[in-house]
Amino acid sequence: MNEHNQNSEASKTPFQVMYWRPKRLSRAGLWAGMIVSLSGMALVQFWPAKVSPEHREPLIAAASKAESALKVISDVHQQQGLPAVAKLDPQRSHLIGPSMTLVTSKLGSLESKQTSINPNFAAVVVKWFEEAGVKPGDRVAIGASGSWPALNIAVYAAAETLQLKPTIILSAASSQYGANRPEMMWVDMEKHLHDANLISFRAKAGTYGGLYDRASGMPEQTRQLLADAMERNGVPMLSSTGLRDLIDERMALYESEIQSDSYAAYVNIGGGSASIGGTEGNERWAPGVHTDVADDQPLPNCVAARMLAKNVPVINVVDAKSIAEQYAMPIAPAVHPAVGECDVFGRAVYRRSLAGVVMGLTWLMMAITVAPGLVLHPLRSWQAWRKPAGDPCETSSMPKHVELMI
């Protein structure tokens, strides 16, 4: 018996074991089915529909304003003979500062700073303003940072586009690769943007920034450079010397500006100790909009926590790389991105109706291939029923289900 089985297995060719098809389904039919299915899937994949936000105009306007602001800053640097460092700044944006200067407060991520040189971040901020319920003409409080000049531009451009009324307190010092040139810090850039009529507002006050928001651990020469930058641009320095007192002073200034009004949102830019609670705060609040906090989670003492306690939404603008990944923007692009190139302006989605048709056709072809009798027999029966009596054409019997292909 064993010998018989062995002879039988030996007599089979590999094709007898591996391939089969319906008896009366032609090879051309099989190819047609495969081509239809693959073509349909390719059509679904490469012919998506574009879903655009309801109000696209403010997004484009904010990104365009940010683009103009980026160009102004680049032109000012060139006019003053401040070169871009090609190795650090492949876009030649002039918004990537040196690795280390006298006003550099701490380490920074070069890749994330390079990613932030993109005008479309302004459109993301407009979207976040809308999510937070901010409406044109509302008052917003802003804590800007010298570490992220391009993100400052994005927030300023969004606020200007929506005609908001911002109260801004900035931190002068900068981490690596930010606005950390002593001769061209963020407070200088802000004034150039105002003078170019790109923004209609300026900071109400500033601090040294850096550790504890008062440049702790930095030499006296650094503190003098920071103070000089504030003075030459006419921005008063907050006078408190401790972190808690600086937070109190910031809150007092914000409150003094609103009069009988209220803030629609607080925008933090970067990782300032007083504004967001430094690293601890940024680990607590991811980039985006925050409207409440869990009662069981302790919060750092900072302006953002106090604003949330007053039911003011917090918009945290930090970690450019994370934001870029969320909205399909390039990471550390060597070529300057154009306005409108990210998912916030609309995204591609599969056409559901087309996908449904393709899935139906694919299922039908598979059913005919695997069980032709179940599909073709009812169809032929229906055709025979519709033919008049005496029709010379006879309904052919269904083929056998499956046979081996030899």
mmCIF file with all atom_site columns, all heavy atoms in Angstrom, residues 139 255 257-262:
data_model
loop_
_atom_site.group_PDB
_atom_site.id
_atom_site.type_symbol
_atom_site.label_atom_id
_atom_site.label_alt_id
_atom_site.label_comp_id
_atom_site.label_asym_id
_atom_site.label_entity_id
_atom_site.label_seq_id
_atom_site.pdbx_PDB_ins_code
_atom_site.Cartn_x
_atom_site.Cartn_y
_atom_site.Cartn_z
_atom_site.occupancy
_atom_site.B_iso_or_equiv
_atom_site.pdbx_formal_charge
_atom_site.auth_seq_id
_atom_site.auth_comp_id
_atom_site.auth_asym_id
_atom_site.auth_atom_id
_atom_site.pdbx_PDB_model_num
ATOM 1  N N   . ARG A 1 139 ? -9.051  89.056 22.624 1.00 0.00 ? 139 ARG A N   1
ATOM 2  C CA  . ARG A 1 139 ? -7.771  89.278 23.298 1.00 0.00 ? 139 ARG A CA  1
ATOM 3  C C   . ARG A 1 139 ? -7.095  87.941 23.582 1.00 0.00 ? 139 ARG A C   1
ATOM 4  O O   . ARG A 1 139 ? -7.750  86.980 23.988 1.00 0.00 ? 139 ARG A O   1
ATOM 5  C CB  . ARG A 1 139 ? -7.978  90.020 24.615 1.00 0.00 ? 139 ARG A CB  1
ATOM 6  C CG  . ARG A 1 139 ? -8.337  91.479 24.449 1.00 0.00 ? 139 ARG A CG  1
ATOM 7  C CD  . ARG A 1 139 ? -8.294  92.210 25.790 1.00 0.00 ? 139 ARG A CD  1
ATOM 8  N NE  . ARG A 1 139 ? -8.564  93.628 25.631 1.00 0.00 ? 139 ARG A NE  1
ATOM 9  C CZ  . ARG A 1 139 ? -7.640  94.515 25.308 1.00 0.00 ? 139 ARG A CZ  1
ATOM 10 N NH1 . ARG A 1 139 ? -6.395  94.112 25.132 1.00 0.00 ? 139 ARG A NH1 1
ATOM 11 N NH2 . ARG A 1 139 ? -7.948  95.798 25.176 1.00 0.00 ? 139 ARG A NH2 1
ATOM 12 N N   . GLU A 1 255 ? -3.179  90.758 33.444 1.00 0.00 ? 255 GLU A N   1
ATOM 13 C CA  . GLU A 1 255 ? -4.473  91.185 33.985 1.00 0.00 ? 255 GLU A CA  1
ATOM 14 C C   . GLU A 1 255 ? -4.683  92.687 33.797 1.00 0.00 ? 255 GLU A C   1
ATOM 15 O O   . GLU A 1 255 ? -5.801  93.138 33.550 1.00 0.00 ? 255 GLU A O   1
ATOM 16 C CB  . GLU A 1 255 ? -4.563  90.826 35.476 1.00 0.00 ? 255 GLU A CB  1
ATOM 17 C CG  . GLU A 1 255 ? -4.571  89.328 35.765 1.00 0.00 ? 255 GLU A CG  1
ATOM 18 C CD  . GLU A 1 255 ? -5.774  88.632 35.195 1.00 0.00 ? 255 GLU A CD  1
ATOM 19 O OE1 . GLU A 1 255 ? -6.841  89.279 35.092 1.00 0.00 ? 255 GLU A OE1 1
ATOM 20 O OE2 . GLU A 1 255 ? -5.683  87.438 34.839 1.00 0.00 ? 255 GLU A OE2 1
ATOM 21 N N   . GLU A 1 257 ? -3.844  94.493 31.377 1.00 0.00 ? 257 GLU A N   1
ATOM 22 C CA  . GLU A 1 257 ? -4.095  94.868 29.981 1.00 0.00 ? 257 GLU A CA  1
ATOM 23 C C   . GLU A 1 257 ? -5.510  94.573 29.508 1.00 0.00 ? 257 GLU A C   1
ATOM 24 O O   . GLU A 1 257 ? -5.952  95.121 28.500 1.00 0.00 ? 257 GLU A O   1
ATOM 25 C CB  . GLU A 1 257 ? -3.099  94.139 29.066 1.00 0.00 ? 257 GLU A CB  1
ATOM 26 C CG  . GLU A 1 257 ? -1.670  94.620 29.200 1.00 0.00 ? 257 GLU A CG  1
ATOM 27 C CD  . GLU A 1 257 ? -1.473  96.047 28.711 1.00 0.00 ? 257 GLU A CD  1
ATOM 28 O OE1 . GLU A 1 257 ? -2.082  96.397 27.682 1.00 0.00 ? 257 GLU A OE1 1
ATOM 29 O OE2 . GLU A 1 257 ? -0.739  96.803 29.351 1.00 0.00 ? 257 GLU A OE2 1
ATOM 30 N N   . ILE A 1 258 ? -6.214  93.691 30.225 1.00 0.00 ? 258 ILE A N   1
ATOM 31 C CA  . ILE A 1 258 ? -7.518  93.268 29.692 1.00 0.00 ? 258 ILE A CA  1
ATOM 32 C C   . ILE A 1 258 ? -8.645  94.179 30.135 1.00 0.00 ? 258 ILE A C   1
ATOM 33 O O   . ILE A 1 258 ? -9.721  94.172 29.557 1.00 0.00 ? 258 ILE A O   1
ATOM 34 C CB  . ILE A 1 258 ? -7.853  91.818 30.096 1.00 0.00 ? 258 ILE A CB  1
ATOM 35 C CG1 . ILE A 1 258 ? -7.841  91.650 31.614 1.00 0.00 ? 258 ILE A CG1 1
ATOM 36 C CG2 . ILE A 1 258 ? -6.884  90.864 29.437 1.00 0.00 ? 258 ILE A CG2 1
ATOM 37 C CD1 . ILE A 1 258 ? -8.300  90.267 32.059 1.00 0.00 ? 258 ILE A CD1 1
ATOM 38 N N   . GLN A 1 259 ? -8.421  94.989 31.207 1.00 0.00 ? 259 GLN A N   1
ATOM 39 C CA  . GLN A 1 259 ? -9.448  95.892 31.731 1.00 0.00 ? 259 GLN A CA  1
ATOM 40 C C   . GLN A 1 259 ? -10.708 95.087 32.061 1.00 0.00 ? 259 GLN A C   1
ATOM 41 O O   . GLN A 1 259 ? -10.654 94.145 32.843 1.00 0.00 ? 259 GLN A O   1
ATOM 42 C CB  . GLN A 1 259 ? -9.701  97.002 30.714 1.00 0.00 ? 259 GLN A CB  1
ATOM 43 C CG  . GLN A 1 259 ? -8.453  97.824 30.407 1.00 0.00 ? 259 GLN A CG  1
ATOM 44 C CD  . GLN A 1 259 ? -8.623  98.764 29.246 1.00 0.00 ? 259 GLN A CD  1
ATOM 45 O OE1 . GLN A 1 259 ? -9.643  98.774 28.573 1.00 0.00 ? 259 GLN A OE1 1
ATOM 46 N NE2 . GLN A 1 259 ? -7.605  99.585 29.004 1.00 0.00 ? 259 GLN A NE2 1
ATOM 47 N N   . SER A 1 260 ? -11.806 95.385 31.418 1.00 0.00 ? 260 SER A N   1
ATOM 48 C CA  . SER A 1 260 ? -13.038 94.646 31.727 1.00 0.00 ? 260 SER A CA  1
ATOM 49 C C   . SER A 1 260 ? -13.224 93.445 30.810 1.00 0.00 ? 260 SER A C   1
ATOM 50 O O   . SER A 1 260 ? -14.205 92.718 30.909 1.00 0.00 ? 260 SER A O   1
ATOM 51 C CB  . SER A 1 260 ? -14.254 95.580 31.581 1.00 0.00 ? 260 SER A CB  1
ATOM 52 O OG  . SER A 1 260 ? -14.328 96.085 30.256 1.00 0.00 ? 260 SER A OG  1
ATOM 53 N N   . ASP A 1 261 ? -12.266 93.239 29.924 1.00 0.00 ? 261 ASP A N   1
ATOM 54 C CA  . ASP A 1 261 ? -12.357 92.138 28.958 1.00 0.00 ? 261 ASP A CA  1
ATOM 55 C C   . ASP A 1 261 ? -11.781 90.867 29.565 1.00 0.00 ? 261 ASP A C   1
ATOM 56 O O   . ASP A 1 261 ? -11.456 90.812 30.753 1.00 0.00 ? 261 ASP A O   1
ATOM 57 C CB  . ASP A 1 261 ? -11.586 92.530 27.702 1.00 0.00 ? 261 ASP A CB  1
ATOM 58 C CG  . ASP A 1 261 ? -12.147 91.882 26.457 1.00 0.00 ? 261 ASP A CG  1
ATOM 59 O OD1 . ASP A 1 261 ? -12.947 90.951 26.620 1.00 0.00 ? 261 ASP A OD1 1
ATOM 60 O OD2 . ASP A 1 261 ? -11.776 92.299 25.351 1.00 0.00 ? 261 ASP A OD2 1
ATOM 61 N N   . SER A 1 262 ? -11.633 89.825 28.776 1.00 0.00 ? 262 SER A N   1
ATOM 62 C CA  . SER A 1 262 ? -11.000 88.585 29.247 1.00 0.00 ? 262 SER A CA  1
ATOM 63 C C   . SER A 1 262 ? -10.224 87.980 28.079 1.00 0.00 ? 262 SER A C   1
ATOM 64 O O   . SER A 1 262 ? -10.469 88.296 26.919 1.00 0.00 ? 262 SER A O   1
ATOM 65 C CB  . SER A 1 262 ? -12.046 87.588 29.757 1.00 0.00 ? 262 SER A CB  1
ATOM 66 O OG  . SER A 1 262 ? -12.944 87.251 28.720 1.00 0.00 ? 262 SER A OG  1
#
